[in-house]
Amino acid sequence: MGRASWGTIVTSDVIGGYQRALRRSLRLLADVKGGSVLVEAPVGDGSPFAGATVAAAPWPQRSVALSVDRGSH
């Protein structure tokens, strides 16, 4: 019988894997919906999104935020 091997899972690896899978899924969804656009962009200090909560951020009309990464969290 083989021995089980234990390792360490780092949170940033789990988040990174989730984000990669999400991007793949969104690309597929964009192809199906036709009018969908996936935007992934860093938010700089001068952005109206900087320091805003997700609820208070100035999202364009009919936008859906699927993922927010703040310092790998």
Side-chain angles (χ1 to χ4, degrees):
M1 214 153 64
R3 288 184 60 171
S5 176
W6 296 91
T8 303
I9 297 175
V10 180
T11 304
S12 60
D13 290 340
V14 173
I15 293 170
Y18 168 77
Q19 289 174 332
R20 284 188 298 280
L22 180 60
R23 281 192 288 276
R24 279 192 302 271
S25 296
L26 289 174
R27 279 190 222 99
L28 293 172
L29 180 61
D31 289 343
V32 171
K33 290 291 189 178
S36 299
V37 176
L38 172 62
V39 177
E40 181 177 357
V43 175
D45 290 335
S47 169
F49 286 85
T53 64
V54 173
W59 301 101
Q61 191 173 27
R62 298 181 59 185
S63 293
V64 177
L66 297 173
S67 177
V68 177
D69 181 2
R70 291 185 174 145
S72 296
H73 293 91

